């Protein structure tokens, strides 16, 4: 398994407020996320006494309405529409303060990572349940405490094990990518976010799940589904009048937001594809505005089952990337970059960092667990130390 390798402010705050105050509009009950295990995966109440909530959005459409991805949302700590530090009667009379700029972390998982209830019932993947989508979302919430965490699930899992990002990059059966310059990954990501944001705004959360570690994995029966779960009979999201294609005006829901993109292991193929498309994508004014809102990108121990192109090494592609001013961080472990059977990974990583540095880009590189034997466990533990 080589590949283990945006919201207009009022709608989101309104949604979180309704969820956080016991309103039964969506018939949800918040649960404390505390599955146990290592890696800070347990989730304790925040300082304000609010419990983190993982909300599951199923089959959110992107650029093509027929292609969708599941998203998991973990709200920023302490969000709420009421002014703080004011008496209740005064708070009711005073208008709310201007909303702070919102930051969103977009995370692309690697192989075997799935919903917690599915991983616990899998005959092999149960041993990695500490790195389920929900648990990693919690880890990221601690790492980025004032941000909204979005886990973007792959659209297909081959054999319930190999993550395949078919909606973002042309991939083979096992999810190894075939990169090109015009697949449409940027457009898909852009519209995925627009629709996910409008989903919360328009009250279309018909099948949102709040994660509970004791929930039953009733959806692990289907072997024919695209993502390891039973296929939904009805989409939970549809395009609204406020959704906009890349030909329209930049949607208000994305204005004033900033983004951090994180790829882990196989999930790094999405980040790589975005780099290949960058030059063409910038020609679209709305996607260009979205690109300008991306502040940082993290590559966490990238790898896949293909024989090359684990890291982008084409100077013309990286030169275009360097001009964006995005800050780049790479965090790797011996599991990927020191594997003698896949020696190209370490060489490509080194070249990636070197070329970006030569172009003047702000890039950092760090190897973790360097004195320990390569292991899948340390591969996953990069989430704890990056």
């Amino acid at each position: 398994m080589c590949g283990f390798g945006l919201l207009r402010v009022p709608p989101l705050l309104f949604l979180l407020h309704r969820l956080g105050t016991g309103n039964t509009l969506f018939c949800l009950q918040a649960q404390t996320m505390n599955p146990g295990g290592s890696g800070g995966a347990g989730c304790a109440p925040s300082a304000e006494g609010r419990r983190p909530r993982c909300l599951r959005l199923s089959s959110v459409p992107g650029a093509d309405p027929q292609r969708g991805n599941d998203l998991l949302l973990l709200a920023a700590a302490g969000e709420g529409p009421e002014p703080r530090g004011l008496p209740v009667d005064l708070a009711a009379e005073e208008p709310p303060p201007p909303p702070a700029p919102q930051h969103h972390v977009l995370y692309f998982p690697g192989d075997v990572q799935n919903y917690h209830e599915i991983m616990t019932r899998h005959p092999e993947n149960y041993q990695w349940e500490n790195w389920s989508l929900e648990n990693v979302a919690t880890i990221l919430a601690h790492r980025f405490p004032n941000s909204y965490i979005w886990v973007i699930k792959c659209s297909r899992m081959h054999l319930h094990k190999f993550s395949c990002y078919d909606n973002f990059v042309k991939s083979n059966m096992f999810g190894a990518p075939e990169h090109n310059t015009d697949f449409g990954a940027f457009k898909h990501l852009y519209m995925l976010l627009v629709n996910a944001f409008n989903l919360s705004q328009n009250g279309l959360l018909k099948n949102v799940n709040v994660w509970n570690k004791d929930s039953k994995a009733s959806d692990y029966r289907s072997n024919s589904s695209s993502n390891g779960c039973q296929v939904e009979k009805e989409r939970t999201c549809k395009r609204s009048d406020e959704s906009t294609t890349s030909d329209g005006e930049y949607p208000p829901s994305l204005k004033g937001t900033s983004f951090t993109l994180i790829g882990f292991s196989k999930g790094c193929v999405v980040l790589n594809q975005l780099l290949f498309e960058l030059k063409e994508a910038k020609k679209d004014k709305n996607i260009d505005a979205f690109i300008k809102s991306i502040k940082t990108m993290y590559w966490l121990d990238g790898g896949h089952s293909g024989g090359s192109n684990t890291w982008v090494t084409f100077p013309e592609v990286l030169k275009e990337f360097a001009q964006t001013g995005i800050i780049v961080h790479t965090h790797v472990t011996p599991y990927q970059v020191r594997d003698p059977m896949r020696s190209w990974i370490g060489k490509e990583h080194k070249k990636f960092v070197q070329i970006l540095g030569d172009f003047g880009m702000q890039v950092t590189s760090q190897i973790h667990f360097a004195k320990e034997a390569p292991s899948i466990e340390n591969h996953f533990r990069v989430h704890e130390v990056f």
Side-chain angles (χ1 to χ4, degrees):
M1 293 184 60
C2 300
F4 267 180
L6 309 158
L7 294 188
R8 184 162 52 188
V9 175
L12 180 60
L13 297 184
F14 173 78
L15 168 66
L16 300 178
H17 176 55
R18 299 299 287 268
L19 295 178
T21 56
N23 190 289
T24 57
L25 174 62
F26 299 116
C27 303
L28 300 175
Q29 180 179 358
Q31 301 286 345
T32 301
M33 302 192 336
N34 186 17
S38 63
C43 193
S46 66
E48 294 83 6
R50 297 171 183 261
R51 294 180 176 183
R53 301 160 182 82
C54 270
L55 306 181
R56 189 182 301 179
L57 284 66
S58 300
S59 301
V60 179
D64 181 349
Q66 302 306 316
R67 294 190 300 173
N69 288 83
D70 285 10
L71 283 80
L72 205 65
L73 169 61
L74 188 55
E79 282 294 340
E82 307 91 343
R84 297 195 191 180
L86 297 176
V88 174
D89 56 343
L90 181 59
E93 298 176 1
E94 294 291 333
Q102 291 189 2
H103 187 72
H104 300 262
V105 176
L106 313 180
Y107 171 82
F108 300 90
D111 284 350
V112 313
Q113 288 180 281
N114 210 324
Y115 297 122
H116 188 264
E117 72 271 16
I118 295 177
M119 293 187 70
T120 57
R121 304 303 176 96
H122 193 278
E124 298 178 28
N125 298 345
Y126 71 91
Q127 58 190 319
W128 314 116
E129 66 178 86
N130 286 338
W131 312 105
S132 68
L133 303 184
E134 296 91 340
N135 281 1
V136 169
T138 307
I139 293 172
L140 293 175
H142 287 292
R143 175 67 175 80
F144 302 92
N146 298 314
S147 302
Y148 294 89
I149 309 300
W150 297 83
V151 176
I152 301 177
K153 195 177 184 299
C154 63
S155 57
R156 175 171 62 92
M157 290 198 78
H158 183 60
L159 302 177
H160 299 292
K161 188 178 298 186
F162 300 98
S163 296
C164 305
Y165 286 93
D166 299 327
N167 290 345
F168 289 95
V169 58
K170 184 178 180 180
S171 309
N172 67 11
M173 180 184 298
F174 295 92
E178 299 178 26
H179 295 293
N180 58 68
T181 61
D182 59 355
F183 187 81
F186 255 120
K187 185 176 181 180
H188 182 70
L189 178 59
Y190 169 77
M191 288 306 305
L192 196 65
L193 294 173
V194 170
N195 287 321
F197 290 1
N198 287 329
L199 175 64
S200 66
Q201 174 182 348
N202 295 320
L204 299 175
L205 293 173
K206 298 162 69 176
N207 189 33
V208 174
N209 298 319
V210 177
W211 181 53
N212 177 359
K213 69 188 177 92
D214 298 320
S215 60
K216 297 181 180 180
S218 60
D219 53 355
Y220 182 63
R221 305 190 194 105
S222 173
N223 293 320
S224 59
S225 68
S226 61
N227 60 10
C229 307
Q230 286 184 318
V231 178
E232 298 291 339
K233 293 183 179 180
E234 183 177 4
R235 287 193 180 276
T236 61
C237 177
K238 62 182 179 181
R239 293 183 182 274
S240 70
D241 293 338
E242 297 192 16
S243 295
T244 176
T245 65
S246 57
D247 297 327
E249 183 182 355
Y250 194 68
S253 56
L254 270 68
K255 291 181 179 179
T257 59
S258 60
F259 297 89
T260 290
L261 273 56
I262 302 175
F264 167 67
S265 197
K266 177 73 75 59
C268 289
V269 304
V270 177
L271 305 192
N272 293 347
Q273 177 62 26
L274 294 178
L275 299 196
F276 278 96
E277 294 184 10
L278 191 57
K279 186 174 183 177
E280 287 298 315
K282 289 163 73 173
K283 296 178 181 179
D284 183 291
K285 64 177 183 179
N286 289 331
I287 296 179
D288 184 54
F290 170 55
I291 293 170
K292 286 182 170 64
S293 69
I294 300 172
K295 305 305 179 183
T296 313
M297 294 176 70
Y298 288 82
W299 276 258
L300 305 183
D301 223 17
H304 57 73
S305 57
S308 63
N309 291 328
T310 303
W311 296 82
V312 179
T313 59
F314 296 95
E316 63 275 15
V317 175
L318 296 182
K319 182 178 180 180
E320 190 76 31
F321 182 39
Q323 295 173 357
T324 63
I326 294 172
I327 298 172
V328 173
H329 300 284
T330 72
H331 295 264
V332 297
T333 75
Y335 176 78
Q336 296 285 23
V337 300
R338 293 182 180 174
D339 184 348
M341 301 299 293
R342 301 177 292 150
S343 59
W344 67 85
I345 296 181
K347 295 177 182 177
E348 289 181 352
H349 167 252
K350 183 177 180 180
K351 192 173 182 181
F352 173 80
V353 173
Q354 178 184 344
I355 295 175
L356 287 180
D358 291 343
F359 283 131
M361 197 168 203
Q362 186 175 343
V363 55
T364 63
S365 177
Q366 188 172 355
I367 184 168
H368 302 276
F369 315 113
K371 296 182 179 180
E372 300 181 32
S375 68
I376 296 177
E377 180 61 30
N378 281 348
H379 173 58
F380 280 113
R381 285 182 60 204
V382 76
H383 290 96
E384 299 177 328
V385 297
F386 82 98

